[in-house]
Each structure stands twice: as C-alpha cells, then as structure tokens.
Amino acid sequence: MHVATILIPVILATSAASESWSLVPTFKSFFQEQSDNMKTFVTTSYNDAIKMKDSVDNYVEEQQKVISDHFNNYIEDIKQKGRDAADPYFPGDADALLDNPDVVLSVPGIITRNGYICETHTVISQGYVLNIHRIPHSKIRNIVPSKTVLLQHGLFASSADWIMNGPGKGLAYVLSDTGYDVWMTNIRGNRYSKHHTTYKTDSKAYWNFSWHDVAAYDVPKIIDYILSMKGTNTKIAYIGHSMGTTILFAMLAVRPEYNEILTAGLALAPVVYLSDMKSPLKSMAPIANNLAYLDMLQGNYEFIPKNSALGKISSTCNGDNMDSLICKNVVFYLCGFNERQFNKTLLPVFLAHLGTGTSWKTAVHFSQEILSGKFQQFDYGYLKNKKIYGTASPPEYDLSKVTLPIKLFWSKNDLLSSEKDVLSLYDELPSKPDMFLVPDEMFNHLDYLWAIDAPRLLNNEVVDSVNRYMNNFWFDIKF
Ligand SMILES: *[C@@H]1O[C@H](CO)[C@@H](O)[C@H](O)[C@H]1NC(C)=O
Ligand SMILES: *[C@@H]1O[C@H](CO)[C@@H](O)[C@H](O)[C@H]1NC(C)=O
C-alpha cells in the first residue's frame, strides 16, 4: 500500500491498537521527531527546494538510513522476543503467506478458483487500455441477468477490493449470488490497466491524469460499452468505495447525462469533502503535495515509484519480507483499526492486492481537496488555470446537477470520511439522498471491503437497496 509509505512519520502517532506493540514508546518519539523534521523541510519554498535538489537527495538518503536502522532493530527485537508478542497483526509463520493461493493469483484467477466465471473486457479510453473484470452470472444459473452493477474501487486499489473477503462476503460474489451481472472496473494506471496505445508507462504524458479524467472519460466509456453489449435499456447501479465515490459525483456533475443513464448510485465511505478528515493523512497533505510536486519536476510521474523522493524514503518498506508487512500495517493507522472485524487469516491476501500505482496528480488533487475544503477540479495555479479553465480558480463540481437516486453509506469510525463531511455532501445533493449508518461504532474505511461481519453490517443493506432501486419505477418519473 503505497499510501502507507508517505505516512511513516505518523504511523504510531495516534493509535489505540498500538498500545499492545512493545516498541511503541521508541517508535512514537522517533516518528514524532521525523515528522517535525519533515515539517521543517517542506516549509522551504518550491524554488528553494529545487535549487536544493542535492540536499533533498541527501536528506532522503539520511531518512532512509535512519528508518532502515530502526526497522532492523525492530526486526532483531522481534526475533529475540518472539514475533507474535510484537506484531499483533502477523498471522503466524511467514510460510503461511503461500498457504493461500489468493496471495499470488490475479483477480480472474481467484474468482475462477472459487467456482465463478470471470470475463475480462477491454475498453480503450483516451488511449488507456482499461481491463474490466466481470462475473456475468451466478454460480448456479447460466443466464446472464439484465440487471447490472458496476463496482468502482478506491485509491491504490483494484477490482480485487470486491472479492478479497471471499465468497459469501465479498460484495462482487454476493451481488452475483443475488442475481446481478457484476462488472468491476480497474482505473487507468493500476496493475490491471497499465497500458496505453501510444504513451509509454514511464512518460509524463501517461501519468498526466487524476480521478477527474477517470470520471469525465473512463467510467462513461465503460458504461457506454456495457450498454452497447447488453442493450440501452439495461439498468445499471453504480457502487463506489472511497475514491470510487469521488469519481461517481464528479462524473454526475461533469457528464450529467449519466444521471439519466444510470439507475442508482451507492456511495460506500463517501470521499467528496475532506476538510474534516480525521486520518493522520490530513496533516501529511501539504507534505505529500510538495513532495509529489518535486517528484514530478524531477521526472517521476507515477506516485511513489521506487526511485522517487517518496519512494526512496519508503524503499525500506518494499519487498516480500517482514519489513514490508510491518510497513504495510500503517494502513490501520491511516484508516482506523477494527480488531473485531479484521480477519487475520486473510491479511496476506489483503496486503498482496492492496497498493497499486496511481499518478502524482491524483495524490496532489486529493491533497488540494483536503487543503481547500472544496470539491473542485485540479488546481494548476493562477496562470495555468486561466489558460485551461478560463478562470483564476478551478471550477467546482456542480453537485446540484446530481439527480440520480443516491444512497450514502457511512460509519462513525471512518477516519477518511467523517460525519461532518458526509453531512456536507448530503446537504449539497438536491435529491436528498438515502443514508445508511453502518451499525458498528468501530466500522472503518476499509471494513467495507473486508469486515468479518460484512453480510450483517453492510451487504444485506446494499443488496436490499440495489434491489429496491432496480425495481422502483417511481424513479422513472421525472418531475
Ligand atoms: C497535462 O494535462 C494538462 C491539462 O489537460 C495540459 O495542460 C498539459 O499540457 C499536460 N501535460 C502533458 C505533459 O501532457
Ligand atoms: C477468516 O478467513 C478464513 C479464510 O477465508 C475463513 O476460513 C474464516 O472463517 C474467516 N474467519 C472469520 C471469523 O470469519
């Protein structure tokens, strides 16, 4: 999970779960210190920072070494004291990693292994070769249902999000069992949609996109493709998680015709307004913003590729070793940890499928949302905004255009999608969407994908809602 890597300085800053971690005090002060260093570092202006390129590199190397030393000490300590005592998340022996083939299989492999059919469909949008995974019908029926759901994953993720929790729990399987034709997108730049018809994947032009482009071009193209295959009367419900919801609302604002084309939109853990975000990510936004920008200027366009400034800081966290697992635990600190809902047996599968690349522009675009409190297009700065948008500031997404029936699913312990921000979104939507508060105080941002009790807490409600929207002719009447 690359997002984890920018957060190394704050990993242990705030967490109840970390109390059981024997080295917490050491780490806590260490990361506090690093975080302060970082802050000092980024207060330097861009221009100075560029001039300082050499010192940036030195800085990064130093950081890398310090972090690596600390992790090595940590590993040593674990070896002496016993791993389980030190790491509450590690599921036992490292060999267990390969006990479950889902760790190494791709999405179609996993789906097929579980006895479902999986098709891969390819759609080309602005030259990006997008691969969509589809479970066309349930295990027991051989007929492809007309009713269709389109599942859009979140940041640093893929179609794997919807199946990692396994049959009976992963939403893709559940919706298939219920009688839906299930399509799972993979956004441009992720591991399943890496190619482009003309750009090389290490070129600046290739990575010159944010979720705005996915919303404005790719998802509409995919919906058009499904309609062309299945007929224009096909009812499609869109279900998005996290950034998948950002994409939904941006699309409904800039391509309002899709309000008529889709049947409903379900937003799991909506990420539209981010000003009240509780995650440590918030305090890192300015840093991520600056470092990603620096990376871009230095010619690294994929967010956190290995040899970028951020990548170097985080390279101690790469590789199939303990370090990697420890580093990836950061995800819990980022998104909240809900021990009761977390199935440790599946950790290796989650870790294997999380963390696929995205563009620096996506990261910066989110940082801008956090800092500005606005839901708006990419901010290029005054001059370039003038040139591109004709205005000094980027245009805001006009949520008054969203007329599609919407349901917002939210939870109290979601560090990325706070109650206040969800309610702001509710207020901005003219149709006054349906709301569902997940009945678990501890339910967090990623529990939507992997909660042990997903069927009881979430899936039943999702399935009921989709069924209702699909069968409700009332919505066909436009006032
Ligand atoms: C990136 O996209 C922006 C906005 O569409 C454009 O102005 C700029 O020239 C593009 N840069 C590259 C390198 O393609
Ligand atoms: C955790 O996942 C494993 C593997 O899929 C499964 O066998 C087990 O029942 C799950 N545990 C719980 C508590 O759901």
Side-chain angles (χ1 to χ4, degrees), residues 204-205 208 361 380 384 388:
K204 185 170 182 175
N208 190 16
K361 204 168 173 179
Y380 291 94
K384 209 163 166 204
I388 292 176

Side-chain angles (χ1 to χ4, degrees), residues 83-100:
R83 176 191 288 151
D84 291 341
D87 185 348
Y89 313 121
F90 196 76
D93 201 72
D95 297 338
L97 276 178
L98 284 176
D99 278 359
N100 189 340

Side-chain angles (χ1 to χ4, degrees), residues 199 204-206 208-209 213 360-361 380 384 387-389:
Y199 300 149
K204 185 170 182 175
Y206 178 93
N208 190 16
F209 65 84
D213 306 275
W360 66 269
K361 204 168 173 179
Y380 291 94
K384 209 163 166 204
K387 206 167 130 217
I388 292 176
Y389 308 119

Side-chain angles (χ1 to χ4, degrees), residues 270-478:
V271 169
V272 168
Y273 295 109
L274 293 171
S275 51
D276 190 46
M277 181 190 262
K278 301 284 189 283
S279 165
L281 195 56
K282 183 169 186 179
S283 59
M284 296 303 286
I287 298 171
N289 205 348
N290 289 5
L291 282 185
Y293 205 82
L294 260 185
D295 269 357
M296 198 262 308
L297 294 173
Q298 291 178 14
N300 298 310
Y301 314 112
E302 180 174 3
F303 188 51
I304 327 190
K306 282 196 179 63
N307 58 355
S308 70
L310 284 166
K312 278 191 203 161
I313 289 178
S314 67
S315 62
T316 43
C317 289
N318 286 331
D320 298 325
N321 50 27
M322 279 287 292
D323 303 57
S324 162
L325 282 179
I326 291 162
C327 292
K328 284 174 171 177
N329 280 338
V330 178
V331 66
F332 301 122
Y333 297 95
L334 234 189
C335 302
F337 181 66
N338 183 2
E339 188 151 26
R340 222 162 7 105
Q341 290 302 330
F342 191 71
N343 187 341
K344 287 175 197 162
T345 314
L346 289 176
L347 179 66
V349 180
F350 299 151
L351 294 181
H353 291 276
L354 277 169
T356 160
T358 192
S359 64
W360 66 269
K361 204 168 173 179
T362 301
V364 172
H365 199 172
F366 271 121
S367 304
Q368 290 177 355
E369 307 274 314
I370 295 171
L371 297 173
S372 73
K374 290 182 180 160
F375 185 43
Q376 62 187 15
Q377 293 191 37
F378 193 85
D379 190 347
Y380 291 94
Y382 180 83
L383 284 180
K384 209 163 166 204
N385 285 344
K386 275 269 186 198
K387 206 167 130 217
I388 292 176
Y389 308 119
T391 46
S393 329
E396 290 188 42
Y397 295 103
D398 182 359
L399 291 176
S400 74
K401 295 212 171 108
V402 178
T403 53
L404 182 71
I406 298 282
K407 184 157 186 161
L408 306 178
F409 291 73
W410 64 289
S411 67
K412 288 262 164 101
N413 185 39
D414 189 332
L415 299 184
L416 296 172
S417 177
S418 82
E419 175 165 10
K420 188 161 161 251
D421 287 335
V422 171
L423 294 178
S424 304
L425 171 61
Y426 176 88
D427 285 339
E428 290 300 319
L429 293 172
S431 63
K432 295 303 158 238
D434 295 329
M435 299 281 265
F436 179 72
L437 172 61
V438 180
D440 173 2
E441 286 285 312
M442 293 300 289
F443 206 81
N444 72 42
H445 200 69
L446 294 175
D447 280 333
Y448 289 89
L449 310 180
W450 61 36
I452 286 174
D453 291 323
R456 175 173 63 81
L457 295 171
L458 178 73
N459 294 352
N460 294 346
E461 183 73 19
V462 169
V463 169
D464 283 355
S465 307
V466 178
N467 286 342
R468 235 175 307 125
Y469 289 124
M470 287 287 184
N471 297 327
N472 201 338
F473 299 108
W474 185 248
F475 290 116
D476 293 341
I477 305 166
K478 300 279 175 209

